[in-house]
Amino acid sequence: SLARILPGVLNVNAPQEMGNTRAGPNMSVNGGRSADNNFTFNGANFTHFGQTTGLNFPPPDAVQEIRIHTHNFTSEYGNNSGSQVSITSKAGTNQLHGSAWEFLRNDKLNARSFFQPRRPTSRQNQAGAAGGGPILKDKLFGFGYYQKLWNRPESGSSQTLVPTDAERAGNFAGGAALRNLGDPITGVPMTDPTGRPCVAANVIAQGCISKAAETILSKYIPRSATGAYVSLLPTPSGNYSYMGRVDFLQSSKHTIFGHFHRDNYSQLFTAGNIQPFTTGDRTVDNKNFSISSTYTFSPTLLNQATFDYMHVTSLDLAREKVPPESMGITLPSGINGEGISINVQGRFNLSPVNPNGQDYRNWHFRDSMSWIKGRHTVKFGYEMHKVTWTLNNQYTQTRSATFTGVGTGNPMADFMLGRFDQVSVLFGQPGSDPINWKHFFFVQDEFKVVPRLTLTFGTRWEPYFAWDQKFGRHTVTDVPRLSQRSSVRTDALPFVLFPGDPGLPSNGKLSFDDYNNIGPRFGFAWDVF
């Protein structure tokens, strides 16, 4: 909300509840991309570099300061060019201070939309407390908060057009004229087993109706006398977050503080516009640990060091699975039991809940030295990130079939005939373990020429190191081997080779010399996310 009031800031996205590890806040600043921002919390990294989004910060009663640099920030800031968002939490003092809150929101004053048969229920409570004070007077202080969200909405109240009883029987009389279906290769009009055209006078012959369409309609698509269906499905969700911060004044020269922050989300969710088709449980867990040290060597020399660790995970698990075979589609289930989504353009969309999981870890260290010399304030330092991001074995491929009217001119008639426009069937396990190191160096000088004029100049070096893959998971293309079949996995498609096949190392890893030797014949790339 505060970011929206700043000039040059657009498209602020700050969801109350995160749907996965990369669904945190982002925004476009001064024409930059939404992925061009850097977020920190108490000096610790608070950015997911897989998609460069932030994490959700503590509630306002636990925040001391919000600072957003939209331009002209000094060289001590980096990682991204769009903006620098710095949040600082409150800290304990020699006096005990605290607060408590509870927000209530419900549907009592809500209105029913024109298409809803009734007013959807909505109940939301958000309660918490924050406080801080001395643990050891003048030496050790503590601060913390706890907040919990109970959210009980009904979702999916959009109106969906479902086939009428006549359309289920193949009768589209009264609508736009249907084209007779032709063989995609020969163009010859298609007929039923008796030789009758599949489409005649806007009626589909019974022998041409797809068995899969009949199964899907009977099992998953509700009937409606008007052809319109409105679904209301409770989708409860919840969140809890807490933080503890401890400040230690070791001496007049040395202070240490650290925090631990956790933010957890859970929700029941669904997909598509026919609900409930399938439902799933989603969890997102964000953890952040930080410790910082500030040491004053002399009145003109100060050192600040921060070490922090961030671990964020998300997991989607389906409560029930709908394999393609249960729809009458002769397609095996995916490696994790994923189904297939069916989209009839302008009508209904059946979308299964597929398992997906992500695990992101970020180690971060930063050290900076400030030196005051006359009218100069020189600051220099080093920053390091180690990032690992695992799209684990719960990460699944998508499968879909779309019907757009490309055959008959009517998407619903195409669906009844099984005449899809496009089918996408991805196979295999897209497990990925990208890893990356970041090393940054900076130096800057604030030169106070006169009391009313200060010049700030500096430089920052951010060498680029490409993302790598653990376990040798690199993609390599060798054009002369397009027709070669694997001898390790004989059931694989042509051109899909595995470690141990002729010409490939047994451990799946190519050395730098290997890349140089095959350069004229190979195109290779790291899997980059």
Side-chain angles (χ1 to χ4, degrees), residues 57-222:
F57 290 95
D61 285 59
V63 171
Q64 177 68 33
E65 180 182 86
I66 300 174
R67 181 176 296 179
I68 302 178
H69 301 270
T70 59
H71 65 288
N72 287 347
F73 41 84
T74 59
S75 61
E76 68 174 301
Y77 299 102
N79 285 311
N80 278 300
S81 59
S83 73
Q84 299 287 327
V85 182
S86 304
I87 309 291
T88 304
S89 71
K90 291 182 177 179
T93 64
N94 273 330
Q95 293 182 330
L96 183 63
H97 292 278
S99 61
W101 60 90
E102 203 275 341
F103 297 96
L104 168 65
R105 180 179 180 181
N106 57 37
D107 53 40
K108 299 305 180 184
L109 298 179
N110 290 357
R112 176 184 67 85
S113 79
F114 178 81
F115 298 104
Q116 292 172 333
R118 61 176 176 82
R119 181 175 59 190
T121 62
S122 177
R123 292 178 177 84
Q124 184 177 143
N125 294 80
Q126 189 175 39
I135 301 175
L136 185 62
K137 189 176 180 180
D138 295 330
K139 277 289 186 181
L140 192 63
F141 311 94
F143 179 86
Y145 86 89
Y146 180 86
Q147 177 175 268
K148 187 169 177 62
L149 170 72
W150 298 265
N151 193 12
R152 300 294 182 267
E154 276 187 323
S155 63
S157 60
S158 60
Q159 181 174 269
T160 304
L161 300 179
V162 296
T164 63
D165 289 343
E167 290 174 331
R168 288 170 182 262
N171 188 346
F172 289 81
L178 300 181
R179 299 190 297 266
N180 188 22
L181 206 61
D183 185 285
I185 299 177
T186 65
V188 176
M190 299 185 70
T191 59
D192 68 3
T194 66
R196 294 182 302 172
C198 281
V199 179
N202 272 24
V203 176
I204 299 175
Q206 289 297 311
C208 293
I209 294 179
S210 165
K211 298 299 180 184
E214 291 181 335
T215 302
I216 292 171
L217 291 177
S218 64
K219 294 179 66 174
Y220 305 111
I221 307 300

Side-chain angles (χ1 to χ4, degrees), residues 315-371:
L315 181 63
D316 292 355
L317 290 177
R319 290 189 174 185
E320 59 279 325
K321 295 182 180 181
V322 182
E325 295 94 326
S326 68
M327 294 181 165
I329 301 174
T330 55
L331 180 70
S333 299
I335 193 170
N336 290 314
E338 57 265 38
I340 184 171
S341 63
I342 307 295
N343 182 20
V344 181
Q345 192 176 74
R347 305 299 284 268
F348 60 84
N349 177 21
L350 290 177
S351 186
V353 171
N354 290 325
N356 282 300
Q358 300 181 38
D359 189 299
Y360 181 88
R361 301 168 189 264
N362 197 133
W363 292 262
H364 174 235
F365 173 75
R366 173 187 170 90
D367 186 88
S368 64
M369 184 77 75
S370 298
W371 178 41

